[in-house]
């Protein structure tokens, strides 16, 4: 019912002038309230429109920034790949000539000269390994993924057999508990993740106890989570937050370039998963990672 109709009805039904005036005053107050509310409503609708326009623009800006960032990341990645690849040729030349020099100088050279030559050869080898790791990292974080459906137990068994020599040499026991499950992934890259984590577990063993590695997995909704647990030297607390960074090593007396975990992280994240660790110094380390099923 309209307020005017209400006023009309009241004036016909209320006989007392005072009561009628009171009722009409109340109706006027309601009319004023309604005016204020509709004004506020109008303002709110306008504000909402402006906010939603602003939000749409912000989302578009963010999408553009995101795209620019990923373009420039991709470009940077390609430069790194080209630079690392092209540096390998001159390095091979230096290494080749250093080897030739080493052969021809064996008799005539002094001890110090042979030592200098050995430094050159060792540095060439280290630099070659670093370039290989940089190439691998740039292809893990960029480049195309060749997704296939694979049986994960086959892939893990293949990794163990590739590391057979090191496993026997270190007398490492490996226990598995992995269900036969198929996953969609780039098998070459995921194999590299398992190889990196297994070889770390075999490398950083505590000399005071026989090395044991437990490999487990469990399914959680759309994800499958793997864990690789060792009873090795562990990683000091202060190094744990940065352990996945490139070229990061706790103890440089062990072989390696410090790129293995950075490659693992880049690969797992490109597959939509995540990787993390738990470690107690002198007790052991467990690396966890997830993959989409
Ligand atoms: P690379 O893998 O490039 O040959 P790396 O093994 O030294 O060299 P990462 O695999 O990236 O490099 O590991 C980085 C560092 O983290 C290692 O140098 C080591 O200090 C520590 N670390 C990794 N895994 C373990 C582990 N299972 N137990 C103890 N320390 C570990
Ligand atoms: Mg490693």
């Amino acid at each position: 019912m309209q307020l005017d109709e209400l006023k009309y009805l009241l004036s016909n039904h209320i006989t007392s002038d005072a009561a009628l005036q009171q009722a009409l005053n109340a109706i006027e107050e309601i009319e004023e309230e309604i005016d204020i509310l509709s004004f506020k409503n109008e303002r709110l609708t306008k504000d909402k429109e402006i906010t939603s326009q602003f939000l749409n623009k912000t989302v578009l800006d963010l999408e553009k920034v995101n795209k620019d960032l990923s373009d420039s990341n991709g470009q940077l990645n390609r430069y790194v790949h080209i630079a690392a690849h092209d540096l390998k040729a001159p390095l091979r030349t230096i290494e080749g000539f250093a080897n030739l020099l080493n052969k021809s100088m064996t008799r005539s050279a002094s001890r110090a000269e042979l030592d200098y030559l050995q430094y050159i050869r060792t540095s060439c080898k280290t630099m070659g390994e670093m370039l290989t790791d940089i190439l691998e990292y740039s292809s893990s974080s960029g480049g195309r993924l060749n997704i296939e459906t694979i049986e994960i137990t086959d892939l893990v068994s293949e990794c163990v057999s590739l590391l057979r020599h090191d496993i026997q040499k270190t007398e490492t026991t490996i226990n598995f508990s992995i269900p036969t499950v198929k996953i969609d992934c780039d098998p070459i890259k995921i194999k590299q993740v398992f190889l990196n984590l297994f070889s770390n577990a075999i490398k950083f063993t505590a000399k005071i106890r026989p090395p044991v590695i437990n490999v487990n997995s469990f399914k959680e909704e759309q994800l499958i989570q793997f864990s690789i647990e060792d009873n090795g030297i562990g990683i000091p607390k202060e190094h744990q937050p940065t352990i996945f960074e490139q070229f990061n090593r706790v103890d440089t007396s062990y072989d390696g370039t410090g790129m293995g975990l950075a490659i693992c992280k880049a690969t797992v994240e490109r597959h939509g998963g995540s990787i993390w660790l738990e470690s107690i110094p002198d007790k052991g380390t467990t690396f966890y990672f997830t993959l989409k099923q």
Side-chain angles (χ1 to χ4, degrees):
M1 194 191 301
Q2 298 292 316
L3 289 176
D4 286 340
E5 277 177 57
L6 184 63
K7 277 185 198 169
Y8 177 74
L9 279 176
L10 288 174
S11 54
N12 282 341
H13 288 86
I14 300 179
T15 47
S16 145
D17 279 354
L20 179 63
Q21 194 50 52
Q22 227 176 347
L24 290 176
N25 286 348
I27 290 173
E28 247 163 56
E29 270 175 38
I30 293 174
E31 273 177 329
E32 274 169 27
E33 271 309 310
I34 289 174
D35 280 350
I36 293 171
L37 279 177
S38 74
F39 174 72
K40 278 186 181 165
N41 190 29
E42 225 171 85
R43 244 188 26 200
L44 276 175
T45 317
K46 265 191 198 145
D47 284 355
K48 205 175 128 194
E49 240 169 65
I50 293 170
T51 313
S52 103
Q53 275 172 6
F54 174 75
L55 274 178
N56 283 345
K57 191 179 171 311
T58 312
V59 168
L60 284 177
D61 286 353
L62 270 177
E63 274 171 0
K64 190 177 174 315
V65 170
N66 218 357
K67 189 177 173 310
D68 288 353
L69 253 178
S70 98
D71 283 354
S72 67
N73 246 348
Q75 208 170 19
L76 199 70
N77 206 28
R78 279 192 292 281
Y79 284 140
V80 168
H81 194 88
I82 292 166
H85 180 267
D86 289 0
L87 279 172
K88 280 199 146 191
L91 184 67
R92 269 196 301 274
T93 310
I94 298 171
E95 202 171 12
F97 279 107
N99 288 341
L100 284 177
L101 262 182
N102 188 55
K103 268 190 201 150
S104 67
M105 284 171 59
T106 312
R107 289 216 188 102
S108 57
S110 68
R111 184 69 257 154
E113 283 168 335
L114 285 176
D115 282 348
Y116 299 155
L117 204 51
Q118 191 51 37
Y119 288 138
I120 296 175
R121 293 171 72 205
T122 312
S123 299
C124 284
K125 187 170 168 285
T126 309
M127 191 168 163
E129 285 167 359
M130 288 171 92
L131 290 175
T132 304
D133 283 346
I134 290 172
L135 281 171
E136 205 179 300
Y137 179 78
S138 76
S139 83
S140 300
S141 53
R144 252 180 343 124
L145 287 179
N146 295 314
I147 302 290
E148 286 173 33
T149 304
I150 52 121
E151 177 56 71
I152 200 74
T153 36
D154 292 347
L155 186 137
V156 173
S157 311
E158 205 184 320
C159 293
V160 174
S161 109
L162 282 170
L163 294 169
R164 201 176 32 228
H165 174 73
D166 290 341
I167 292 170
Q168 281 168 2
K169 206 172 90 185
T170 50
E171 296 180 355
T172 301
T173 308
I174 304 197
N175 305 311
F176 291 97
S177 168
I178 295 190
T180 45
V181 60
K182 288 195 183 341
I183 56 168
D184 293 337
C185 67
D186 184 326
I188 294 179
K189 293 202 158 61
I190 294 300
K191 199 192 296 173
Q192 199 58 49
V193 171
F194 277 106
L195 280 173
N196 277 330
L197 296 177
F198 287 165
S199 54
N200 280 351
I202 295 167
K203 180 165 44 165
F204 300 106
T205 51
K207 303 285 177 278
I208 50 166
R209 51 187 171 261
V212 179
I213 302 173
N214 295 315
V215 187
N216 285 300
S217 74
F218 79 92
K219 288 192 244 175
E220 198 189 59
E221 291 174 8
Q222 306 289 67
L223 293 177
I224 175 154
Q225 179 182 305
F226 299 93
S227 63
I228 291 113
E229 177 194 6
D230 65 53
N231 61 347
I233 57 172
I235 299 172
K237 267 247 147 346
E238 64 275 21
H239 285 275
Q240 292 178 17
T242 52
I243 209 71
F244 292 101
E245 285 176 11
Q246 300 158 39
F247 300 116
N248 205 343
R249 292 195 290 159
V250 177
D251 182 345
T252 48
S253 65
Y254 288 88
D255 272 354
T257 51
M259 281 296 284
L261 289 179
I263 293 169
C264 290
K265 184 168 158 53
T267 302
V268 168
E269 287 180 353
R270 280 209 67 206
H271 279 77
S274 44
I275 184 165
W276 67 100
L277 80 147
E278 281 169 8
S279 185
I280 304 176
D282 299 324
K283 287 251 175 338
T285 305
T286 307
F287 280 95
Y288 300 89
F289 71 94
T290 55
L291 289 177
K292 281 189 194 147
Q293 241 195 298

